[in-house]
Amino acid sequence: QLQLVESGGGLVQPGGSLRLSCTASGFTLNTYTIAWFRQAPGKEREGVSIIRGSSTNYPDSLKGRFTISRDDAKNTVYLQMNSLKPEDTAVYYCAAARWATILVPNDYTYWGQGTQVSVSS
C-alpha cells in the first residue's frame, strides 16, 4: 500500500524556521514527482514546491525562503522553510504523482494526511 506521512509541523514565531518531512512507504520516492501543497482556512490548496529527479521548482512568491530536497536513503522528501510569516500558516501536505510536472493538485494521486504549520507571535 502506497502511503505518505508528513511530520515536522508546529508553532513558530515570525522569522523562524521549520523543516517538514514526508516519508513514503510502498514505493520509491525518487521515481515519482513529489510536491508540497498547503491549504489555509477558507482558501484553495496551493502549490509550494516540487521535485522530480534532480529538478526543483517553486512559485515566485516563495523562492528564496523554501527549499525542497530528497534523501533517497531515507525515502523522504523535506521542505525547509525559513523566514516564516503569519501568512505561511496552513496545513501542509505532500503529494506524489507518477508523471506530474507542475503544481496542480488534481494531477497528484497520493496524499499525506497533512501537518499543521502555525506562524504567530
Side-chain angles (χ1 to χ4, degrees):
Q1 183 177 358
L2 279 66
Q3 190 175 13
L4 295 169
V5 178
E6 303 100 333
S7 61
L11 175 64
V12 63
Q13 292 187 342
S17 298
L18 279 176
R19 188 178 78 160
L20 306 182
S21 300
C22 172
T23 300
S25 59
F27 69 107
T28 302
L29 279 179
N30 65 10
T31 63
Y32 281 70
T33 299
I34 306 299
W36 285 96
F37 293 85
R38 67 184 182 185
Q39 189 165 19
K43 295 188 176 181
E44 292 186 354
R45 192 165 295 191
E46 66 170 335
V48 171
S49 61
I50 186 173
I51 185 167
R52 179 173 177 83
S54 59
S55 298
T56 61
N57 206 358
Y58 311 84
D60 288 343
S61 60
L62 297 178
K63 285 182 179 177
R65 293 199 300 125
F66 287 16
T67 303
I68 190 171
S69 62
R70 191 182 63 238
D71 185 331
D72 291 341
K74 296 182 178 180
N75 209 28
T76 298
V77 167
Y78 301 99
L79 181 67
Q80 178 68 43
M81 305 185 294
N82 298 326
S83 302
L84 283 162
K85 306 174 181 180
E87 51 264 42
D88 295 318
T89 295
V91 178
Y92 284 70
Y93 301 88
C94 67
R98 193 66 183 89
W99 302 111
T101 57
I102 56 176
L103 289 166
V104 174
N106 284 347
D107 287 354
Y108 291 80
T109 307
Y110 306 104
W111 290 81
Q113 81 287 354
T115 185
Q116 176 71 48
V117 171
S118 299
V119 185
S120 174
S121 55

